[in-house]
Amino acid sequence: MRATNWPARIRQFWVRFSKNHAAVAGLVIVAALVAVSAGANLIRANDIFNINPGQTFESPSWSHPFGTDNLGRDMFSLFLYAGRVSFEVGFTAAAVSVLLGTLLGSIAGFYGGVVDDVIMRFTEMFLAIPILLLGLTILIIYGPGLSHVVFVIAVLSWPVTARLVRAEFLTLKEREFVEGLRAVGAPNHVIIFNEIMPNALIPVIINASLQVGAAITVEAGLSFLGLGDPSNPSWGYLLQQAQTFLTRAWWIATFPGIGLLLAILSLSLIGDGLNDALNPRLAEKG
Amino acid sequence: MRILAPLLEVRAVKKYYPLGRGLLSISKRAVHAVDGVSLRLETGTTLGLVGESGSGKTTLGRIIVGLIHPTEGSVMFEGQEIFSLRGKEQFSLRTKMQIIFQNPEASLNPRKTVRHVLTQPFLLHRLATRSEADERAYHLLEQVKLTPPELYLDRYPHQLSGGQKQRVAIARAIALGPKLVVADEPVSSLDMSVKASVLKLMNEIQSNLGLSYFLISHDLYMTRSISKIVAVMYAGRIVELAETDELFRHPAHPYTQALLASTPVPDPAIARGVSRNVIGEPFSPIDPPDYCRFSSRCPYKQDKCLQRSPQLEEIRKDHWVECFFPL
Amino acid sequence: MSDSLLDVRNLRMYFYGSSQVVRAVDDVSLSVREGEVVGIVGESGSGKTATALSLIRLLPPNARIVSGEILHKGKNLASLEETELRKIRGAEISMVFQDPMTFLDPLMKIGDQISESISLHQGKTSDLKVKVVDSLRAVSIPSPEKVLDYYPHQLSGGMKQRVLIAIALSCEPSLIIADEPTTALDVTVQGQILELLKTLVRKRRGLSLLLITHDLGVVAEMCDRVYVMYAGKIVEEADVSSLFKEPKHPYTQALLTAANSIYFVGREMVGIEGVVPDLTNPPSGCRFHPRCQYAMPICSEKEPILIDIGTSRAACWLYPKK
């Protein structure tokens, strides 16, 4: 008889979320982009590294909806594969950064004092580092590679989450229910992770959707500066490759650009919708 | 003729909050929240601690259950100094002392069900399996008159009224069979019609379980209805302490009198006859003066009151007052 | 009643949510006469604050006055243009709130806030500063010349509430609506503020006070006449001594019994069972019937209206209509 009313809560969430039409559109677009890139193999069997010297710079047609590039590769296949790379980087980097940020932020906020001081000074240090500059340095030293890119983005973006979570914890730990838990003898790890954390997660979730978009942007930026991984081309990498042919073949740059734009815009719309649906202060009125 | 130690004994407790923290701070200024309080409480009785905001009553309550460490002094529970306990002993002390808070909105975790709140104490202390804990939670709800319990077990706090939340908080507090419950303004945020029911419930629980209450309140009258002994606190110190009837019949400290005169009583015949004589503002709790702290508001102050600080003295049997010129 | 300063007739004010309507004020009629202290007493969710805010239409965007009249000196405030209403707010009718900081600007000196309020309604005059000092003196603020230069945070809660009353008085209104003016204050300070309000009404000719409170003690001390509200409706109206001596409506009786059981020794503690009804879907008939110990079949079927019972009026089926 453990009736957790999850279905009801999810339905309620969806009712609120779906009121924000832009957010629903964003969700549809992201879902579509993720789905087609994940299913790239099924949709397009063309090997993306298949060079066709006879078909270079073909403009979009039925057989090549997004045209071909300077090596005669099918841009549609490339678009799908690159989308997969971009999303992979975006989601993994955001996940790592949110996890790291949540952990450090909650500890800083909960314990306060010296622990807080140390963690927060550390956080500020990271916030002060220009993300592209450090990214460039690391990638130049260690060479391009997807995992390096993910690492760079994650390490440089956790402070945002950490500060958010810390702020939540600072107010939540003052609430009387926390003292009540201490009074019944609940140990700190139970109080932090089982009790306070569920209350602090809403801003984290909202922020996470923005972090994914931000990570995709940074990855694109790094690739565009020539630090992309040629064996794992992303949308940013495609853009970088397309630079030389901008006047000759508009389609090479246009489609990856649209992909990036749509992905980032949609993710931020989703963030907006999540805010509407989850923010208790806004939800009250609904 | 007391052989056994009292249930609770507070000895000369002080809590100062220094102003301006940091390595380079040389300021010695501090907020004197609690400034030398001694009290004792016997098993099965209720002590009402009355004071206004800033009197230090809430801090004192938190110190008694060990949530705040005092700057000086000690708190003895069943003869043991609670702040010297470590590890297992400290953990098991948690089953003997509990606390109820003023604001039922904040005292329950908004994301946890009543079932979670009420089973957790048993699970934390490994006193029951999950299904046994469920069973106990069910009985606790019956004890606080939230019946039928099935109706409430899986509710979240926002699905409960203020009075119901406070009943859940009381259920959590009595879950582990404590000997002492500190109740910090347990009914002051509730509606009048609910206040009376919750106080009645607290009385019933006390007679059923034989526990003691340390009841903190700003409302002298509310305290009277449930306490055996009343202590009046002002600016970090106990200024008057007596059995409830005695205190109401012969209030001896000017502040106690002022409190009694200021509370509007629900009877026009009485309420319109009162005259109020308390004027002025309290001293800042930052480095209070070394003379009588009520002197800034006392209509009866004399030169002596501005020279030295009075001490708690027994003016009649078991009636203690901290005033040079008790009334 | 021709000598009414304020006459509210059949006022309904609803809050509109996305899927439901909260009927916060539901067919409320009340009046305030010149020089009178009238209380609206009720517990949380009774609609007492919503009623007060409706009177000067200080309402959030999702609230609407659905029907009814608010007559003040021949004008119907319920249908008045916003610009016209603004001239009345503060000048003719002013408000004192529970939390002074919802009204005071934390970054503005006390003196400036008062003079702003005065010049808004009376225009800038040369003796503005004198008027400001006078208004502070009127609410017994010690050394008003000094307080002029204070910021709100430098004042205690009681002093802030005095400043708020000074602002409310500064334009010589005919009516002050005070919504729980002392609830946030300490007991001893509450006493001082009540004393002040009482003296003001007694001294200033033509000033009336509408006091919104949950505290029967405050009612007993302050009011001449009282309206008891429950779940958006007025269930009883009486002069203060009748109300406490012979409460008519079962809700008033139960509320008084609860209060008396706390304030006077030797009585058994009695609360009211059940919870305050949900105003999106209030009970049929009399809204108190699910919690009423005298409930009869008719109580859930038909809504009682206020009828005269001696000097009081109550809406209850216990009293046969003559």
Side-chain angles (χ1 to χ4, degrees), chain B residues 7 43-45 95-96 98 100 122 139-140 142-144 170-181 201-213:
Chain B
L7 180 71
T43 304
T45 61
T95 64
K96 293 179 185 166
Q98 281 304 313
I100 304 169
F122 302 111
H139 285 299
L140 283 169
E142 282 179 335
Q143 269 177 287
V144 296
I170 292 173
R172 171 177 62 191
I174 60 170
L176 298 174
K179 293 186 170 168
L180 173 68
V181 172
L201 175 72
M202 287 178 64
N203 266 340
E204 277 173 28
I205 286 174
Q206 179 166 48
S207 48
N208 291 343
L209 305 179
L211 46 78
S212 303
Y213 288 126

Side-chain angles (χ1 to χ4, degrees), chain B residues 52-53 161 191-193 196-197 200 203 218-219 221-222 224 262-268 272 276 278 281 297, chain C residues 43-44 156 159 186-188 190-192 195 217-218 220-223 244 259 262-265 269-272:
Chain B
E52 296 181 293
S53 56
S161 73
D191 276 327
M192 180 58 77
S193 61
S197 333
K200 188 180 170 193
N203 266 340
H218 69 281
D219 187 339
Y221 282 92
M222 195 280 285
R224 168 163 70 168
S262 299
T263 312
V265 176
D267 182 345
R272 310 216 155 193
R276 304 202 170 86
V278 181
E281 304 258 324
R297 307 178 71 190
Chain C
E43 299 184 289
S44 51
S156 69
M159 282 299 151
D186 276 330
V187 186
T188 47
Q190 158 169 305
Q192 295 167 4
E195 204 86 37
V218 172
E221 177 165 341
M222 299 289 293
C223 301
F244 283 89
I262 292 175
Y263 281 94
F264 300 105
V265 277
M269 218 93 75
V270 208
I272 306 179

Side-chain angles (χ1 to χ4, degrees), chain A residues 168-190:
Chain A
E168 286 294 308
F169 265 70
L170 279 179
T171 50
L172 284 165
K173 76 165 177 184
E174 298 294 330
R175 300 271 285 274
E176 286 165 342
F177 76 82
V178 174
E179 286 192 299
L181 287 161
R182 285 224 183 84
V184 296
N188 284 342
H189 66 90
V190 169

